[in-house]
Amino acid sequence: MATPAIADDGTDLSPVGTPAAETIALENTLAELPETEGGDFTVTRCDNPYKQWYEITSKKAYHVPSLWNGTKFKDGPGGTMVVKVEKAGKISAEVSGGVEAEAGAVIAKAKVKVDAKIGAEISVSVGHEYRRDIARGKYGHLQYGSWGYQVTWAKYATSTDRCGKTKLKSGSAKLPTNETGWRYWETSS
């Protein structure tokens, strides 16, 4: 098996997709290193390899909304809502705090660490119908989307003394999965 190419900055240039088991094992080991402040000029050298990697630092379930017309409705007060997706579209991941190339790395890491169903873009077809009774005197809201995740992420590198890790940047992401459906809530107005 060939070793993945590493750029001068330590970035893994292997094909995008699921990281190899040995890469994941190494990153898990390096993730346990203490975080250090920049500029560590100690004489001590550890034997950890220099590497840059991504970590998913938190996750929570999140309904990633579709953003095209005909997928968000409000009705009431009271009564029954009957809605249907009448226009196909795509729900895309939103990654903040990095550049486009990092979005792919964050999505790949989330597929491994959070849920294999996560994708960069999910297609929605026409036809998903939903019926819901609205409580008396309330307004019902329906939003179509993907039952995905909101995560925070960080990019780390082995510290200069290779005994710890240094955070290079961080951000957040809203990541769709292939599970789509309607989210319902009620308001007083």
Side-chain angles (χ1 to χ4, degrees):
M1 182 163 112
T3 304
I6 305 294
D8 289 339
D9 66 356
T11 305
D12 185 348
L13 299 177
S14 56
V16 177
T18 307
E22 62 224 22
T23 301
I24 293 171
L26 174 61
E27 287 178 0
N28 287 342
T29 302
L30 294 174
E32 298 301 318
L33 292 174
E35 194 167 330
T36 61
E37 297 296 322
D40 46 324
F41 295 103
T42 59
V43 177
T44 308
R45 299 288 296 174
C46 294
D47 63 353
N48 294 307
Y50 178 79
K51 182 161 177 57
Q52 292 183 3
W53 70 96
Y54 293 85
E55 290 181 22
I56 301 299
T57 55
S58 73
K59 68 172 183 172
K60 71 176 182 176
Y62 182 80
H63 189 258
V64 183
S66 54
L67 300 176
W68 64 90
N69 291 339
T71 58
K72 184 175 182 181
F73 300 91
K74 177 182 178 181
D75 205 358
T80 301
M81 292 180 76
V82 179
V83 298
K84 182 178 180 180
V85 176
E86 297 193 11
K87 182 179 176 186
K90 296 186 184 299
I91 302 171
S92 299
E94 297 175 29
V95 179
S96 67
V99 295
E100 188 176 334
E102 287 176 320
V106 169
I107 292 166
K109 180 58 82 170
K111 283 179 82 71
V112 172
K113 293 293 187 178
V114 178
D115 190 333
K117 295 179 267 184
I118 288 173
E121 192 172 74
I122 305 301
S123 294
V124 174
S125 58
V126 173
H128 190 169
E129 187 173 295
Y130 187 80
R131 174 183 296 269
R132 179 73 185 236
D133 291 330
I134 305 167
R136 185 178 180 150
K138 297 288 187 175
Y139 288 85
H141 301 263
L142 278 167
Q143 171 71 62
Y144 200 75
S146 165
W147 297 104
Y149 295 91
Q150 184 169 12
V151 302
T152 56
W153 61 271
K155 181 178 182 181
Y156 289 96
T158 313
S159 61
T160 55
D161 66 2
R162 300 200 181 172
C163 294
K165 63 183 179 182
T166 304
K167 185 187 292 185
L168 302 176
K169 58 175 67 173
S170 62
S172 63
K174 296 173 185 168
L175 306 173
T177 67
N178 58 9
E179 296 175 343
T180 58
W182 294 96
R183 183 175 75 93
Y184 178 80
W185 70 100
E186 291 182 351
T187 59
S188 298
S189 60

